[in-house]
Amino acid sequence: SKYVAVGNATGSVPNTSTVFSYSTDGIIWNSGITSPSITSGYSVGWNGTLFVAGGNVAVVSSSNVFVYSNDGINWSNATNK
């Protein structure tokens, strides 16, 4: 099993580092997972194949974005239509 959590980047300047954390047991967490765009994360979901997370980008007038990952560690920007 893998658990993934999303939150706000740490530090005084909004950035995309440390947005995600993951754990294989829910007790010990690996933090510092970088998002390609999210500075404040609000949700993360898993459908059995793909993780999807939503949040916003503080440096771009708080625009909302989605990112996705197959492993919960390496994230890519989703395409808006």
Side-chain angles (χ1 to χ4, degrees):
S1 293
K2 185 177 284 181
Y3 304 92
V4 175
V6 64
N8 294 330
T10 58
S12 59
V13 177
N15 61 67
T16 59
S17 64
T18 69
V19 172
F20 290 100
S21 296
Y22 72 93
S23 173
T24 56
D25 61 9
I27 298 169
I28 299 170
W29 288 84
N30 299 288
S31 61
I33 307 302
T34 299
S35 166
S37 57
I38 291 176
T39 57
S40 294
Y42 300 124
S43 63
V44 63
W46 168 251
N47 72 355
T49 305
L50 192 68
F51 290 98
V52 176
N56 73 26
V57 181
V59 295
V60 186
S61 303
S62 297
S63 62
N64 296 320
V65 295
F66 293 94
V67 294
Y68 66 94
S69 173
N70 292 313
D71 61 8
I73 298 171
N74 300 294
W75 294 84
S76 299
N77 285 318
T79 303
N80 292 329
K81 288 190 173 189

Coordinates of all heavy atoms in Angstrom, one line a residue:
S1 N 0.8 -1.2 0.0 CA 0.0 0.0 0.0 C 0.9 1.2 0.0 O 2.0 1.2 0.5 CB -0.9 0.0 1.2 OG -1.8 -1.0 1.2
K2 N 0.3 2.3 -0.5 CA 1.0 3.6 -0.5 C -0.1 4.6 -0.1 O -1.2 4.7 -0.7 CB 1.6 4.0 -1.8 CG 2.4 5.3 -1.7 CD 3.1 5.6 -3.0 CE 4.4 4.7 -3.1 NZ 5.1 4.9 -4.3
Y3 N 0.3 5.5 0.8 CA -0.5 6.6 1.2 C 0.1 7.9 0.7 O 1.3 8.0 0.8 CB -0.7 6.7 2.7 CG -1.2 5.4 3.3 CD1 -0.4 4.4 3.7 CD2 -2.6 5.2 3.4 CE1 -0.9 3.2 4.3 CE2 -3.1 4.0 3.9 CZ -2.2 3.0 4.4 OH -2.7 1.8 4.9
V4 N -0.7 8.9 0.2 CA -0.2 10.1 -0.3 C -1.0 11.2 0.4 O -2.2 11.2 0.5 CB -0.3 10.2 -1.8 CG1 0.1 11.6 -2.3 CG2 0.6 9.1 -2.5
A5 N -0.2 12.3 0.9 CA -0.9 13.4 1.5 C -0.4 14.7 0.7 O 0.7 14.7 0.2 CB -0.5 13.5 2.9
V6 N -1.2 15.7 0.6 CA -0.9 16.9 0.0 C -1.2 18.1 0.9 O -2.1 18.0 1.7 CB -1.6 17.1 -1.4 CG1 -3.1 17.2 -1.1 CG2 -1.1 18.3 -2.1
G7 N -0.4 19.1 0.9 CA -0.6 20.3 1.8 C 0.0 21.5 1.2 O 0.1 21.6 0.0
N8 N 0.4 22.4 2.0 CA 1.1 23.6 1.6 C 2.6 23.5 1.6 O 3.1 22.8 2.4 CB 0.7 24.8 2.5 CG -0.8 25.1 2.4 OD1 -1.4 24.9 1.4 ND2 -1.3 25.6 3.5
A9 N 3.2 24.2 0.6 CA 4.7 24.2 0.6 C 5.2 25.0 1.8 O 4.5 25.9 2.3 CB 5.2 24.8 -0.7
T10 N 6.3 24.5 2.4 CA 6.9 25.2 3.6 C 7.7 26.4 3.1 O 8.2 26.4 2.0 CB 7.7 24.3 4.4 OG1 8.7 23.7 3.6 CG2 6.8 23.2 5.0
G11 N 7.9 27.4 4.0 CA 8.8 28.5 3.7 C 7.9 29.8 3.5 O 6.7 29.7 3.4
S12 N 8.6 30.9 3.5 CA 7.9 32.2 3.5 C 7.5 32.6 2.0 O 6.6 33.4 1.8 CB 8.8 33.3 4.1 OG 10.0 33.3 3.4
V13 N 8.2 32.0 1.0 CA 7.8 32.3 -0.3 C 7.1 31.1 -0.9 O 7.7 29.9 -0.8 CB 9.1 32.6 -1.1 CG1 8.8 32.8 -2.6 CG2 9.8 33.8 -0.6
P14 N 6.0 31.2 -1.6 CA 5.3 30.1 -2.2 C 6.2 29.4 -3.2 O 6.8 30.0 -4.0 CB 4.1 30.7 -2.8 CG 3.8 32.0 -2.2 CD 5.2 32.5 -1.8
N15 N 6.2 28.1 -3.0 CA 7.0 27.3 -4.0 C 6.4 25.9 -4.1 O 5.5 25.6 -3.4 CB 8.5 27.2 -3.6 CG 8.6 26.5 -2.2 OD1 8.4 25.3 -2.1 ND2 9.1 27.2 -1.2
T16 N 6.9 25.1 -5.0 CA 6.3 23.8 -5.3 C 7.0 22.6 -4.6 O 6.6 21.5 -4.8 CB 6.3 23.5 -6.8 OG1 7.6 23.6 -7.3 CG2 5.4 24.5 -7.6
S17 N 8.0 22.9 -3.8 CA 8.7 21.9 -3.1 C 8.0 21.6 -1.8 O 7.3 22.4 -1.2 CB 10.2 22.2 -2.8 OG 10.2 23.4 -2.0
T18 N 8.1 20.4 -1.3 CA 7.5 19.9 -0.1 C 6.0 19.9 0.0 O 5.4 19.9 1.0 CB 8.1 20.7 1.2 OG1 7.6 22.0 1.2 CG2 9.6 20.7 1.2
V19 N 5.3 19.9 -1.2 CA 3.9 19.8 -1.2 C 3.3 18.5 -0.9 O 2.3 18.3 -0.2 CB 3.4 20.4 -2.6 CG1 1.9 20.2 -2.8 CG2 3.7 21.8 -2.8
F20 N 4.0 17.4 -1.4 CA 3.5 16.0 -1.2 C 4.4 15.3 -0.2 O 5.6 15.5 -0.1 CB 3.5 15.3 -2.5 CG 2.5 15.8 -3.5 CD1 2.9 16.6 -4.5 CD2 1.2 15.4 -3.4 CE1 1.9 17.1 -5.5 CE2 0.3 15.8 -4.3 CZ 0.6 16.6 -5.3
S21 N 3.7 14.3 0.5 CA 4.4 13.3 1.3 C 3.8 12.0 1.0 O 2.6 11.9 0.6 CB 4.2 13.6 2.8 OG 4.8 14.8 3.1
Y22 N 4.6 10.9 1.2 CA 4.0 9.6 1.0 C 4.5 8.6 2.1 O 5.5 8.9 2.7 CB 4.3 9.0 -0.4 CG 5.8 8.6 -0.6 CD1 6.2 7.3 -0.4 CD2 6.7 9.6 -1.0 CE1 7.5 7.0 -0.5 CE2 8.0 9.2 -1.1 CZ 8.4 7.9 -0.9 OH 9.7 7.5 -1.1
S23 N 3.8 7.6 2.3 CA 4.1 6.6 3.3 C 3.6 5.2 2.8 O 2.6 5.1 2.1 CB 3.4 6.9 4.6 OG 3.5 5.9 5.5
T24 N 4.4 4.2 3.2 CA 3.9 2.8 2.8 C 3.2 2.1 4.0 O 2.6 1.1 3.8 CB 5.1 1.9 2.4 OG1 6.1 2.0 3.4 CG2 5.8 2.5 1.1
D25 N 3.3 2.7 5.2 CA 2.6 2.2 6.3 C 1.6 3.1 7.0 O 1.0 2.7 8.0 CB 3.6 1.6 7.3 CG 4.5 2.6 7.9 OD1 4.3 3.8 7.6 OD2 5.5 2.2 8.5
G26 N 1.6 4.4 6.6 CA 0.8 5.4 7.3 C 1.4 5.9 8.6 O 0.8 6.8 9.2
I27 N 2.5 5.5 9.0 CA 3.2 5.9 10.2 C 4.5 6.7 9.9 O 4.6 7.8 10.4 CB 3.5 4.7 11.1 CG1 2.2 4.0 11.5 CG2 4.3 5.1 12.3 CD1 2.4 2.6 12.1
I28 N 5.3 6.2 9.1 CA 6.5 6.8 8.7 C 6.3 7.5 7.3 O 6.0 6.8 6.4 CB 7.7 5.9 8.6 CG1 7.9 5.2 10.0 CG2 9.0 6.6 8.1 CD1 8.9 4.1 10.0
W29 N 6.5 8.8 7.3 CA 6.2 9.6 6.1 C 7.5 10.1 5.4 O 8.4 10.6 6.1 CB 5.3 10.8 6.4 CG 3.9 10.3 6.7 CD1 3.4 9.8 7.9 CD2 2.8 10.1 5.8 NE1 2.1 9.4 7.7 CE2 1.7 9.6 6.5 CE3 2.7 10.4 4.4 CZ2 0.5 9.3 5.8 CZ3 1.5 10.2 3.8 CH2 0.4 9.7 4.5
N30 N 7.6 10.1 4.1 CA 8.6 10.7 3.3 C 8.1 12.0 2.8 O 7.2 12.0 2.0 CB 9.0 9.7 2.2 CG 9.5 8.4 2.7 OD1 10.6 8.3 3.3 ND2 8.7 7.4 2.6
S31 N 8.8 13.1 3.2 CA 8.3 14.4 2.7 C 9.2 15.0 1.7 O 10.3 14.4 1.4 CB 8.1 15.3 3.9 OG 9.4 15.5 4.6
G32 N 8.9 16.2 1.3 CA 9.8 16.9 0.3 C 9.5 16.5 -1.1 O 10.4 16.7 -1.9
I33 N 8.4 15.9 -1.4 CA 8.1 15.5 -2.8 C 7.6 16.8 -3.5 O 6.6 17.4 -3.1 CB 7.0 14.4 -2.8 CG1 7.4 13.2 -1.9 CG2 6.8 14.0 -4.3 CD1 8.8 12.6 -2.3
T34 N 8.2 17.1 -4.6 CA 7.9 18.3 -5.3 C 6.7 18.2 -6.3 O 6.6 17.1 -7.0 CB 9.1 18.8 -6.1 OG1 10.2 19.0 -5.2 CG2 8.9 20.0 -6.9
S35 N 5.9 19.2 -6.4 CA 4.8 19.3 -7.4 C 5.3 20.1 -8.6 O 6.1 21.0 -8.4 CB 3.6 20.0 -6.7 OG 2.7 20.3 -7.7
P36 N 4.8 19.7 -9.8 CA 5.2 20.5 -10.9 C 4.6 21.9 -10.9 O 5.1 22.8 -11.6 CB 4.8 19.7 -12.1 CG 3.7 18.9 -11.6 CD 4.0 18.6 -10.2
S37 N 3.5 22.1 -10.1 CA 2.9 23.4 -10.2 C 2.1 23.8 -8.9 O 2.0 25.0 -8.6 CB 1.9 23.4 -11.4 OG 0.9 22.4 -11.2
I38 N 1.7 22.9 -8.1 CA 0.9 23.2 -6.9 C 1.7 23.8 -5.8 O 2.8 23.3 -5.5 CB 0.1 22.0 -6.4 CG1 -1.0 21.5 -7.4 CG2 -0.5 22.2 -5.0 CD1 -1.7 20.3 -7.0
T39 N 1.3 25.0 -5.3 CA 1.9 25.5 -4.1 C 1.1 25.3 -2.8 O 1.6 25.2 -1.7 CB 2.2 27.0 -4.2 OG1 1.0 27.7 -4.5 CG2 3.2 27.3 -5.3
S40 N -0.3 25.1 -3.0 CA -1.2 24.8 -1.9 C -2.1 23.7 -2.4 O -2.9 23.9 -3.3 CB -2.0 26.0 -1.5 OG -1.2 27.0 -0.9
G41 N -2.0 22.5 -1.8 CA -2.8 21.4 -2.2 C -4.0 21.2 -1.4 O -4.0 21.5 -0.2
Y42 N -5.1 20.8 -2.0 CA -6.4 20.7 -1.3 C -6.9 19.2 -1.2 O -7.6 18.9 -0.3 CB -7.4 21.5 -1.9 CG -7.1 23.0 -1.9 CD1 -7.0 23.7 -3.0 CD2 -6.7 23.6 -0.7 CE1 -6.7 25.1 -3.0 CE2 -6.4 25.0 -0.7 CZ -6.3 25.7 -1.8 OH -6.0 27.0 -1.8
S43 N -6.6 18.4 -2.2 CA -7.1 17.1 -2.2 C -6.2 16.1 -3.0 O -5.5 16.6 -3.9 CB -8.5 17.1 -2.7 OG -8.5 17.5 -4.1
V44 N -6.3 14.9 -2.7 CA -5.6 13.9 -3.5 C -6.5 12.6 -3.5 O -7.2 12.3 -2.5 CB -4.2 13.5 -2.9 CG1 -4.3 12.9 -1.5 CG2 -3.5 12.6 -3.8
G45 N -6.6 12.0 -4.7 CA -7.5 10.8 -4.8 C -6.7 9.7 -5.5 O -5.7 10.0 -6.2
W46 N -7.2 8.5 -5.4 CA -6.5 7.3 -6.0 C -7.6 6.4 -6.5 O -8.6 6.1 -5.9 CB -5.7 6.6 -4.9 CG -5.2 5.2 -5.2 CD1 -5.7 4.0 -4.7 CD2 -4.2 4.9 -6.1 NE1 -5.0 3.0 -5.2 CE2 -4.1 3.5 -6.1 CE3 -3.3 5.6 -7.0 CZ2 -3.1 2.8 -6.9 CZ3 -2.4 4.9 -7.7 CH2 -2.3 3.5 -7.6
N47 N -7.5 6.0 -7.8 CA -8.5 5.1 -8.4 C -8.0 3.7 -8.6 O -8.6 2.9 -9.3 CB -9.0 5.7 -9.7 CG -8.0 5.6 -10.8 OD1 -6.8 5.2 -10.6 ND2 -8.4 6.0 -12.0
G48 N -6.9 3.4 -8.0 CA -6.3 2.1 -8.1 C -5.2 2.0 -9.1 O -4.5 1.0 -9.2
T49 N -5.1 3.0 -9.9 CA -4.1 3.1 -11.0 C -3.4 4.5 -11.0 O -2.2 4.5 -11.2 CB -4.7 3.0 -12.4 OG1 -5.5 1.8 -12.4 CG2 -3.7 2.9 -13.5
L50 N -4.1 5.5 -10.7 CA -3.5 6.9 -10.8 C -3.9 7.7 -9.6 O -5.0 7.7 -9.1 CB -4.1 7.5 -12.1 CG -3.5 8.8 -12.6 CD1 -2.1 8.5 -13.1 CD2 -4.4 9.3 -13.7
F51 N -2.9 8.5 -9.1 CA -3.2 9.5 -8.1 C -3.5 10.8 -8.8 O -2.8 11.1 -9.8 CB -1.9 9.8 -7.2 CG -1.6 8.7 -6.3 CD1 -0.6 7.7 -6.6 CD2 -2.3 8.5 -5.0 CE1 -0.3 6.7 -5.7 CE2 -1.9 7.5 -4.2 CZ -0.9 6.6 -4.5
V52 N -4.5 11.6 -8.3 CA -4.8 12.9 -8.9 C -4.9 13.8 -7.7 O -5.5 13.5 -6.7 CB -6.1 12.9 -9.7 CG1 -6.5 14.3 -10.1 CG2 -6.0 11.9 -10.8
A53 N -4.3 15.0 -7.8 CA -4.3 16.0 -6.7 C -4.7 17.3 -7.3 O -4.5 17.7 -8.4 CB -3.0 16.1 -6.0
G54 N -5.5 18.1 -6.5 CA -5.9 19.4 -6.9 C -5.4 20.5 -5.9 O -5.2 20.2 -4.7
G55 N -5.1 21.6 -6.4 CA -4.7 22.7 -5.6 C -4.6 24.0 -6.4 O -5.3 24.2 -7.4
N56 N -3.8 25.0 -5.9 CA -3.7 26.2 -6.6 C -2.2 26.6 -6.7 O -1.4 26.1 -6.0 CB -4.6 27.3 -6.1 CG -4.1 27.9 -4.8 OD1 -2.9 27.9 -4.4 ND2 -5.0 28.4 -4.0
V57 N -2.0 27.6 -7.5 CA -0.6 28.1 -7.8 C -0.7 29.6 -7.3 O -1.2 30.4 -7.9 CB -0.2 28.0 -9.3 CG1 1.2 28.6 -9.4 CG2 -0.3 26.6 -9.8
A58 N 0.0 29.8 -6.1 CA -0.1 31.1 -5.6 C 0.6 32.2 -6.4 O 0.2 33.4 -6.4 CB 0.5 31.1 -4.2
V59 N 1.6 31.8 -7.2 CA 2.4 32.8 -8.0 C 1.7 33.1 -9.3 O 2.2 34.0 -10.0 CB 3.8 32.3 -8.2 CG1 4.6 32.2 -6.9 CG2 3.8 30.9 -9.0
V60 N 0.5 32.5 -9.6 CA -0.2 32.8 -10.8 C -1.6 33.2 -10.5 O -2.6 32.5 -10.9 CB -0.2 31.6 -11.8 CG1 -0.8 32.0 -13.1 CG2 1.2 31.1 -12.0
S61 N -1.8 34.2 -9.7 CA -3.1 34.7 -9.3 C -4.0 33.6 -8.7 O -5.2 33.6 -9.0 CB -3.7 35.4 -10.5 OG -2.9 36.4 -11.0
S62 N -3.4 32.7 -8.0 CA -4.2 31.7 -7.4 C -5.0 30.8 -8.3 O -6.2 30.5 -8.1 CB -5.1 32.2 -6.3 OG -4.3 32.8 -5.3
S63 N -4.5 30.5 -9.5 CA -5.2 29.7 -10.4 C -5.2 28.2 -9.9 O -4.3 27.7 -9.3 CB -4.6 29.7 -11.8 OG -3.3 29.3 -11.8
N64 N -6.3 27.5 -10.2 CA -6.5 26.1 -9.8 C -5.9 25.2 -10.8 O -6.0 25.4 -12.0 CB -8.0 25.8 -9.6 CG -8.6 26.6 -8.5 OD1 -8.0 26.8 -7.5 ND2 -9.8 27.1 -8.8
V65 N -5.2 24.2 -10.3 CA -4.5 23.2 -11.2 C -4.7 21.8 -10.6 O -5.1 21.6 -9.4 CB -3.0 23.5 -11.3 CG1 -2.7 24.8 -11.9 CG2 -2.3 23.4 -9.9
F66 N -4.5 20.8 -11.5 CA -4.6 19.4 -11.2 C -3.2 18.8 -11.6 O -2.7 19.2 -12.6 CB -5.7 18.7 -11.8 CG -7.0 19.1 -11.3 CD1 -7.8 20.1 -12.0 CD2 -7.6 18.5 -10.2 CE1 -9.0 20.5 -11.5 CE2 -8.8 19.0 -9.7 CZ -9.5 19.9 -10.4
V67 N -2.7 17.8 -10.8 CA -1.6 17.1 -11.2 C -1.9 15.6 -11.0 O -2.8 15.2 -10.3 CB -0.3 17.5 -10.3 CG1 0.1 18.9 -10.6 CG2 -0.6 17.3 -8.9
Y68 N -1.1 14.7 -11.7 CA -1.3 13.3 -11.6 C 0.0 12.6 -11.4 O 1.1 13.1 -11.8 CB -2.1 12.8 -12.8 CG -1.4 12.9 -14.1 CD1 -0.6 11.8 -14.5 CD2 -1.4 14.1 -14.8 CE1 0.1 11.9 -15.7 CE2 -0.7 14.2 -16.0 CZ 0.0 13.1 -16.5 OH 0.7 13.1 -17.6
S69 N -0.1 11.3 -10.9 CA 1.1 10.5 -10.7 C 0.7 9.0 -10.7 O -0.4 8.7 -10.1 CB 1.7 10.9 -9.3 OG 2.8 10.0 -9.0
N70 N 1.5 8.2 -11.3 CA 1.3 6.8 -11.2 C 1.9 6.2 -9.9 O 1.4 5.1 -9.4 CB 2.0 6.1 -12.4 CG 1.4 6.4 -13.7 OD1 0.2 6.3 -13.8 ND2 2.2 6.8 -14.7
D71 N 2.9 6.8 -9.3 CA 3.5 6.2 -8.1 C 3.4 7.1 -6.8 O 3.9 6.7 -5.8 CB 5.0 6.0 -8.4 CG 5.8 7.2 -8.8 OD1 5.2 8.3 -8.7 OD2 6.9 7.0 -9.2
G72 N 2.8 8.3 -6.9 CA 2.7 9.2 -5.8 C 3.9 9.9 -5.4 O 4.0 10.6 -4.4
I73 N 4.9 9.8 -6.3 CA 6.2 10.4 -6.0 C 6.6 11.4 -7.2 O 7.0 12.5 -7.0 CB 7.4 9.4 -5.9 CG1 7.1 8.5 -4.6 CG2 8.7 10.1 -5.7 CD1 8.0 7.3 -4.5
N74 N 6.4 10.9 -8.4 CA 6.7 11.7 -9.6 C 5.4 12.3 -10.2 O 4.5 11.5 -10.6 CB 7.4 10.9 -10.6 CG 8.7 10.3 -10.1 OD1 9.7 11.1 -9.8 ND2 8.8 9.0 -9.9
W75 N 5.3 13.6 -10.2 CA 4.0 14.2 -10.5 C 4.1 15.0 -11.8 O 5.2 15.5 -12.2 CB 3.6 15.2 -9.4 CG 3.2 14.4 -8.2 CD1 4.1 14.0 -7.2 CD2 1.9 14.0 -7.8 NE1 3.4 13.3 -6.2 CE2 2.0 13.3 -6.6 CE3 0.7 14.1 -8.4 CZ2 1.0 12.7 -5.9 CZ3 -0.4 13.5 -7.7 CH2 -0.3 12.8 -6.5
S76 N 3.0 15.0 -12.6 CA 3.0 15.8 -13.9 C 1.7 16.6 -13.9 O 0.7 16.3 -13.2 CB 2.9 14.8 -15.1 OG 4.0 14.0 -15.1
N77 N 1.8 17.7 -14.6 CA 0.6 18.6 -14.8 C -0.4 18.0 -15.6 O -0.1 17.4 -16.6 CB 1.0 19.9 -15.4 CG 1.8 20.8 -14.5 OD1 1.4 21.0 -13.3 ND2 2.8 21.5 -15.0
A78 N -1.7 18.1 -15.2 CA -2.8 17.6 -16.0 C -3.1 18.7 -17.0 O -2.8 19.9 -16.8 CB -4.0 17.3 -15.1
T79 N -3.8 18.3 -18.1 CA -4.1 19.3 -19.2 C -5.5 19.7 -19.0 O -6.5 18.9 -18.8 CB -4.0 18.6 -20.6 OG1 -2.7 18.1 -20.7 CG2 -4.3 19.5 -21.7
N80 N -5.7 21.0 -19.0 CA -7.1 21.6 -18.9 C -7.7 21.8 -20.3 O -7.0 22.2 -21.2 CB -7.0 23.0 -18.2 CG -6.6 22.9 -16.8 OD1 -6.9 21.9 -16.1 ND2 -6.0 23.9 -16.3
K81 N -8.9 21.4 -20.4 CA -9.6 21.6 -21.7 C -10.7 22.6 -21.6 O -11.3 22.8 -20.6 CB -10.2 20.3 -22.2 CG -9.2 19.3 -22.6 CD -9.8 18.1 -23.2 CE -8.7 17.2 -23.8 NZ -9.3 16.2 -24.6

